[in-house]
Amino acid sequence: MTEAILLVGGKGTRLRPLTVHTPKPMVRAAGVPFLTHQLARAKAAGVEHIVLATSYLAEVFEPYFGDGAALGLHIEYVTEQEPLGTGGAIRNVASRLRSGPDEPVLIFNGDILTGLDIGALVRTHETTGADVSLHLTKVTDPRAYGLVPTDAAGRVLAFLEKPQTPEEIVTDQINAGAYVFRRSVIDTIPAGRPVSVERETFPELLATGAHLQGMVDSTYWLDLGTPAAFVRGSADLVLGRAPSPAVPGRCGDRLVLPTAWVAPDAKLSGGTVVGEGAFVAEGARIFGSTILPGAVIEPGAVVTDSLVGNGARVGRRSVVTGTVIGDGAVIGADNELREGVRVWCDARIPAGAVRFSSDQ
């Protein structure tokens, strides 16, 4: 296998305000755009040619990655004029593929952080003679996902989208968002219209007798669709819990990028990242958080499990927990923001304006 399709066209609405100015795959995780980790892992698995299926803020990708030479890859870009869904996006880039009809093409979603053994998935595909092979993972609560029951040999039996009742939960195996397609199968997807691989392509392939193979891989897996998950994924990359050859430094409790400044008595832990040009003042405490480039954490502020956007500011003694602060936003001194709060880009919160506890 030498080529892959990476689906990076989504709007990332669940991640807003992180994705107001930045497409989801380009939001920084462990110091670099998340997409960098996926490209590096594909390269490590032997992929040489990658086609990025872009749509939302498509103009951002190519200026950053260029032709891929810096990563040892050849990258091409195809932009959807209208959203085409997963299947439609795959079909839309088919003309850029170089593989022969029976050769494998790796396809993966641009918002999944995983330790998947890509080589093992490809070997499973080849040894079973499958038309499509899917990475499956087991989850404790599968209600938010598409279920994929298989037989004893791993052959896929059905696709059950987001079960609503206990009786519908027939397995804890879910579609984990990485596939290997036989090249000729991609050409059977209808062109020029939205297509869902989960709801249309895969069920139709099963109905026509195609061989769909599942491979359960229970290594690290995280859907980065929510702000809390994205922050956790970045911290796990820094801590070394999630594997990536693209982390720009040694794994450990903290990652401070070049040109960032951190006061000697500031405390950083839990996989915290401080981006380029960011400033962390004296007495600040930051745990498990992402501080994006140019952000400022003022003296005595406490930031936990949060993301502070590009050029944003957290004021003196403010306590921020489980919060996303958009690019350029300013949190005044002595505020207290708790789980689930999203502060929009360029918003201004005056000093002492928001609290969850007494000011005493």
Side-chain angles (χ1 to χ4, degrees), residues 29-43:
V32 297
F34 175 67
L35 179 55
T36 309
H37 299 289
Q38 293 185 303
L39 293 172
R41 295 200 72 242
K43 165 65 178 173

Side-chain angles (χ1 to χ4, degrees), residues 62 66 70 96 98 123 163 210 234 245 300:
E62 189 166 2
R96 302 294 185 92
R98 305 165 181 171
R123 289 190 295 273
S234 177

Side-chain angles (χ1 to χ4, degrees), residues 5-354:
I5 298 170
L6 188 47
L7 305 173
V8 293
K11 291 185 176 180
T13 52
R14 291 185 296 159
L15 278 179
R16 289 170 73 87
L18 296 181
T19 52
V20 170
H21 303 304
T22 307
K24 178 166 52 177
M26 295 298 288
V27 177
R28 288 176 177 251
V32 297
F34 175 67
L35 179 55
T36 309
H37 299 289
Q38 293 185 303
L39 293 172
R41 295 200 72 242
K43 165 65 178 173
V47 173
E48 298 172 356
H49 175 225
I50 292 184
V51 184
L52 297 188
T54 67
S55 180
Y56 176 66
L57 297 177
E59 66 277 7
V60 172
F61 295 94
E62 189 166 2
Y64 189 91
F65 291 106
D67 63 3
L71 293 171
L73 293 164
H74 175 60
I75 299 176
E76 294 188 67
Y77 306 83
V78 177
T79 301
E80 302 165 26
Q81 300 309 311
E82 297 292 336
L84 295 172
T86 48
I90 292 167
R91 181 66 177 85
N92 191 51
V93 306
S95 63
R96 302 294 185 92
L97 298 175
R98 305 165 181 171
S99 302
D102 290 325
E103 292 182 320
V105 177
L106 175 69
I107 300 171
F108 48 118
N109 291 334
D111 56 1
I112 301 296
L113 177 59
T114 177
L116 168 68
D117 185 339
I118 296 171
L121 181 62
V122 175
R123 289 190 295 273
T124 295
H125 179 79
E126 293 175 333
T127 57
T128 60
D131 296 296
V132 179
S133 297
L134 299 88
H135 170 210
L136 308 180
T137 193
K138 294 178 181 289
V139 295
T140 304
D141 183 1
R143 289 175 297 175
Y145 304 98
L147 308 189
V148 186
T150 56
D151 66 14
R155 189 157 181 161
V156 174
L157 301 174
F159 289 88
L160 308 172
E161 277 300 308
K162 295 182 181 177
Q164 302 301 310
T165 66
E167 292 75 23
E168 292 179 290
I169 302 177
V170 297
T171 180
D172 58 356
Q173 296 176 174
I174 67 165
N175 177 0
Y179 321 108
V180 178
F181 272 64
R182 188 189 302 272
R183 169 68 181 85
S184 58
V185 173
I186 294 174
D187 293 327
T188 68
I189 300 173
R193 68 169 177 84
V195 180
S196 165
V197 289
E198 298 88 352
R199 293 178 174 85
E200 184 175 345
T201 304
F202 293 156
E204 287 183 359
L205 286 169
L206 278 183
T208 58
H211 180 176
L212 276 67
Q213 184 73 22
M215 187 194 84
V216 177
D217 182 302
S218 297
T219 55
Y220 185 98
W221 184 88
L222 185 64
D223 177 352
L224 300 183
T226 66
F230 201 96
V231 170
R232 179 155 63 94
S234 177
D236 285 347
L237 283 162
V238 174
L239 292 166
R241 295 172 180 166
S244 171
V247 175
R250 296 178 61 183
C251 291
D253 224 24
R254 55 188 259 174
L255 175 63
V256 178
L257 275 294
T259 72
W261 188 87
V262 177
D265 68 341
K267 291 182 170 52
L268 312 180
S269 59
T272 287
V273 182
V274 181
E276 295 91 339
F279 181 92
V280 179
E282 59 272 11
R285 289 179 288 149
I286 308 175
F287 178 85
S289 297
T290 296
I291 312 302
L292 290 182
V296 175
I297 310 299
E298 293 188 0
V302 180
V303 181
T304 303
D305 297 336
S306 297
L307 188 145
V308 180
N310 294 281
R313 179 179 291 266
V314 177
R316 291 171 177 265
R317 298 175 301 279
S318 282
V319 177
V320 175
T321 304
T323 295
V324 173
I325 299 171
D327 296 344
V330 175
I331 311 302
D334 299 308
N335 280 289
E336 186 180 359
L337 306 180
R338 289 194 176 175
E339 285 83 356
V341 171
R342 304 186 190 208
V343 179
W344 231 248
C345 299
D346 300 315
R348 298 289 188 271
I349 297 180
V354 178

